[in-house]
Amino acid sequence: MSEHVLTRIANRTGIITLDRPKALNSLSLDMVRALTAILLDWQLDAAVDAVVITSSSEKALCAGGDIRFFHEVGNASPQDGSALLEDFFTEEYALNHLIHFYPKPYIALMDGVVMGGGMGIAQGGPDCALRIVTERTKMAMPEVNIGLFPDVGGSHFLSHAPGQLGMFLGLTGLTIGAADALYVGLADVFVPGADLAALQALIEATPGADLQAAIRALASQHAGESELQANRACIDAHFGADSVAAIMASLEGDDTPFAQKALRAMRLRSPLMMCVTRELLLRGASLDVADCLRLERSLVRRNFEHGEVLEGVRALVIDKDNAPQWNPPSLDLVTDAMVARFFAPVWPVHAHPLRHLA
């Protein structure tokens, strides 16, 4: 078990508390393994009727995977630990699948930062999830900012968002708050920070089998005005274009602050990974959760082979020069063949590391 994953059972509810505050609960391999073991155990435990995942810090539920670890082992030889990178993504995506199809209510308190891998452990499926946001929620799938793509099931939950909202979030990597999360369908209820003490007391006092209903009665489905809702026509018009280049050209012709903010963000992202992300979301719209995760697992291997994420993490996290040398450096140099290479199968079907997912 990981020292950063704390557990207890209260009134037939299993409570998981992430406790790595200095790293905003960024997921290590040990944390992924601990979460998996806990959830596998509790799904068969007759003493547990529901699960709550929360944090010891109000700053974040989880800021994502441990990208410093990605950089370290991504540059290592197998003898120096690079095989751990393969383990991390295989086991993380299997955990995401377990959470999506969890057989008991799975309640995520998405207070503070919830990004990347944090979304993967918060986005339970429709049959089990209750996703709570607060006014402190800062939600994003920002992977294109570090030369990656929206993974941890993002190819499924972004591609199934209404209209072009998922494409907007995947290509820009921009952060949204509670009202937008509710509008996109990435959260279910809103609990203001002032009511979190009452929420915690409710969790302690309510039998697990009744907990989701009790939280819905306490919470609200309205968290103020959604910027995405106000700009929905703009998003659908621009992000429905037939290529990343066409999307950016469309945004260039729109002088509204919202469109220009999206354009500025995209100009900083990896040109190649924006194109890969667009193709991934188009494919994900017709795939089930398991096939989305299998596709993402192959793309991760291709990404590290290419090295884009290693350069992105170097520039933004390691050296902090904020000047990634993307390969290729501009959108006009990205070819269809480059994108297609990411989608070429890595393993035969019978040997895929996530072949057991159903």
Side-chain angles (χ1 to χ4, degrees):
M1 289 296 182
S2 169
E3 63 180 310
H4 303 304
V5 179
L6 312 178
T7 64
R8 62 190 179 92
I9 297 174
N11 214 344
R12 302 186 65 83
T13 294
I15 301 171
I16 299 171
T17 304
L18 302 183
D19 186 33
R20 196 187 182 193
K22 291 183 179 179
L24 297 180
N25 294 329
S26 294
L27 296 173
S28 66
L29 180 56
D30 282 348
M31 291 170 73
V32 168
R33 288 176 171 171
L35 287 168
T36 302
I38 292 159
L39 291 174
L40 288 173
D41 181 40
W42 282 351
Q43 74 176 354
L44 300 175
D45 190 339
V48 175
D49 289 332
V51 172
V52 170
I53 186 163
T54 185
S55 168
S56 62
S57 169
E58 66 180 27
K59 292 182 178 180
L61 173 64
C62 175
D66 187 341
I67 57 178
R68 287 182 177 273
F69 163 78
F70 298 165
H71 188 269
E72 177 184 350
V73 298
N75 283 296
S77 68
Q79 292 83 3
D80 292 330
S82 66
L84 295 175
L85 190 69
E86 298 289 316
D87 292 345
F88 179 89
F89 286 105
T90 296
E91 295 181 40
E92 182 187 28
Y93 295 179
L95 171 63
N96 302 146
H97 185 272
L98 173 64
I99 288 170
H100 186 90
F101 293 104
Y102 207 64
K104 299 178 181 182
Y106 184 88
I107 301 161
L109 179 52
M110 299 190 289
D111 188 28
V113 174
V114 190
M115 297 183 181
M119 288 286 282
I121 61 170
Q123 292 294 318
D127 294 334
C128 67
L130 182 63
R131 301 160 298 174
I132 305 166
V133 287
T134 76
E135 67 269 26
R136 291 192 294 255
T137 298
K138 296 178 180 179
M139 180 183 290
M141 292 299 287
E143 288 82 358
V144 289
N145 196 35
I146 59 165
L148 197 58
F149 59 88
D151 64 338
V152 298
S155 60
H156 188 268
F157 59 73
L158 289 183
S159 68
H160 286 75
Q164 299 298 324
L165 293 171
M167 192 68 73
F168 166 81
L169 293 173
L171 293 183
T172 66
L174 290 172
T175 301
I176 61 174
D180 285 334
L182 289 165
Y183 178 66
V184 177
L186 297 174
D188 300 302
V189 296
F190 172 73
V191 174
D195 291 345
L196 287 179
L199 174 64
Q200 296 295 345
L202 186 71
I203 292 170
E204 299 287 338
T206 307
D210 303 325
L211 187 55
Q212 280 193 330
I215 292 174
R216 287 185 182 276
L218 171 72
S220 168
Q221 292 184 319
H222 184 69
E225 298 303 315
S226 164
E227 183 183 25
L228 297 186
Q229 184 175 12
N231 290 279
R232 174 67 182 277
C234 168
I235 292 168
D236 286 351
H238 296 310
F239 285 83
D242 61 4
S243 69
V244 174
I247 291 169
M248 295 182 72
S250 183
L251 289 167
E252 285 170 357
D254 184 341
D255 61 2
T256 63
F258 183 86
Q260 290 303 302
K261 178 182 178 181
L263 181 60
R264 286 193 300 272
M266 292 178 71
R267 284 173 173 163
L268 298 174
R269 309 320 188 204
S270 162
L272 175 59
M273 295 317 298
M274 284 194 296
C275 294
V276 169
T277 293
R278 180 179 177 276
E279 178 65 20
L280 175 64
L281 296 186
L282 292 176
R283 295 189 184 205
S286 61
L287 300 176
D288 63 19
V289 173
D291 283 336
C292 279
L293 290 166
R294 278 188 279 266
L295 179 57
E296 292 173 11
R297 184 63 188 85
S298 294
L299 261 63
V300 165
R301 169 68 76 83
R302 296 301 186 201
N303 185 289
F304 277 90
E305 287 174 356
H306 179 279
E308 197 79 333
V309 66
L310 297 176
E311 172 58 16
V313 174
R314 178 209 64 75
L316 275 72
V317 179
I318 306 301
D319 296 340
K320 297 183 180 179
D321 58 26
N322 293 313
Q325 301 301 304
W326 298 129
N327 178 24
S330 61
L331 196 58
D332 61 300
L333 297 176
V334 178
T335 67
D336 291 344
M338 291 176 188
V339 175
R341 171 63 180 160
F342 276 76
F343 293 87
V346 176
W347 303 275
V349 172
H350 66 269
H352 194 292
L354 295 177
R355 60 191 176 276
H356 63 283
L357 300 184

